[in-house]
Amino acid sequence: MIDLNADLGEGFGRWTLTDDDALLSVVTSANVACGFHAGDPSVMRRVCALAAERGVRIGAQVSYRDLAGFGRRAMDVPADELAAEVAYQIGALRVFAEAAGAGVAYVKPHGALYNRTVHDAVQARAVVAGVRLAGGALPVLGLPGSHLLAAAEEAGLTGVPEAFADRAYTPEGTLVPRREANSVVTDGDAVVRRALGFAVDGAVEAVDGSAVAVAARSLCVHGDTPGAALTAARVREALERAGVEVGAFA
């Protein structure tokens, strides 16, 4: 069984980016922006209500405080401050999740913070400290082999390894930085093939053509890529045809 997640609620005011309605009909877990890289109270409330109505698990997608850069700019935030900001974002989302009759089921860092916690043990521990500060032993999504998953496990939380069907991988098993060409896989057929590779074979083809082993419990399809909802639907259909049960991990 594998979870299918997507980044949702990535709008702000009159600006919208993700097709939340369509994606919530496909995914089993929703990584909801909590206001630091995208999202505002109205967007968060609406996405939580829709997710609860459709039985989709609600996750807090926490970020550096970077609305202008969509959370994709590298930042040096002191550990105590980062922990407080992570807890703040989880708490904000929890209000709307509980109002919808659900709750925050897990946490996933976004963008630059996600990538930073792969290699930076200090920032990884700060994120985990923020999760603990917010209360509840929430699972944490992260890249396999990352400091983030190790820090979560050390703190008594469940670390959930994640793979990305629509991102290019290095031979070391990390994501190709978005600033580099072809870092995002936009061809729908390729995304489907890669999703099946993760779920069935536990591997993906890296940019140099080598096979990289990736043991993932959750599979992400980004909501901000063109045609994301249709691609996600194709991925789910292909997984189920291959005998892979699609279900939430939380």
Side-chain angles (χ1 to χ4, degrees), residues 8-250:
L8 300 178
E10 292 183 329
F12 196 87
R14 297 179 63 185
W15 173 71
T16 59
L17 179 63
T18 49
D19 189 347
D20 298 327
D21 288 354
L23 284 164
L24 283 168
S25 297
V26 178
V27 300
T28 49
S29 296
N31 318 317
V32 183
C34 298
F36 272 36
H37 75 281
D40 62 25
S42 295
V43 172
M44 293 163 68
R45 183 180 184 183
R46 179 175 181 275
V47 174
C48 285
L50 285 172
E53 177 184 301
R54 299 179 189 182
V56 176
R57 300 295 187 272
I58 297 169
Q61 185 160 47
V62 298
S63 170
Y64 287 128
R65 189 190 296 264
D66 183 27
L67 274 176
F70 196 60
R72 289 181 175 159
R73 296 185 293 190
M75 293 186 171
D76 288 314
V77 181
D80 287 349
E81 182 178 337
L82 179 57
E85 292 188 343
V86 167
Y88 179 93
Q89 293 174 77
I90 296 169
L93 186 66
R94 181 176 286 135
V95 169
F96 299 116
E98 292 182 353
V104 175
Y106 65 94
V107 176
K108 174 184 173 179
H110 166 80
L113 181 57
Y114 187 98
N115 291 315
R116 180 74 171 266
T117 58
V118 172
H119 304 291
D120 190 322
V122 173
Q123 294 277 281
R125 287 194 294 269
V127 170
V128 171
V131 176
R132 295 303 301 266
L133 179 61
L138 296 177
V140 178
L141 271 174
L143 206 67
S146 65
H147 279 290
L148 179 62
L149 294 190
E153 297 287 351
E154 289 171 5
L157 305 179
T158 300
V160 182
E162 177 184 32
F164 293 82
D166 53 6
R167 289 295 309 277
Y169 276 72
T170 70
E172 293 73 35
T174 58
L175 302 180
V176 173
R178 281 183 176 267
R179 63 179 177 273
E180 297 185 15
N182 302 316
S183 62
V184 179
V185 181
T186 57
D187 179 75
D189 292 337
V191 174
V192 170
R193 286 196 304 272
R194 294 165 74 83
L196 288 171
F198 286 123
V200 177
D201 303 319
V204 67
E205 182 179 334
V207 289
D208 66 350
S210 63
V212 179
V214 180
R217 177 66 189 82
S218 186
L219 185 62
C220 179
V221 177
H222 280 91
D224 62 340
T225 52
L230 176 59
T231 299
R234 290 185 59 197
V235 165
R236 179 159 186 165
E237 181 183 6
L239 290 171
E240 292 175 339
R241 280 203 313 266
V244 178
E245 181 182 354
V246 179
F249 64 84

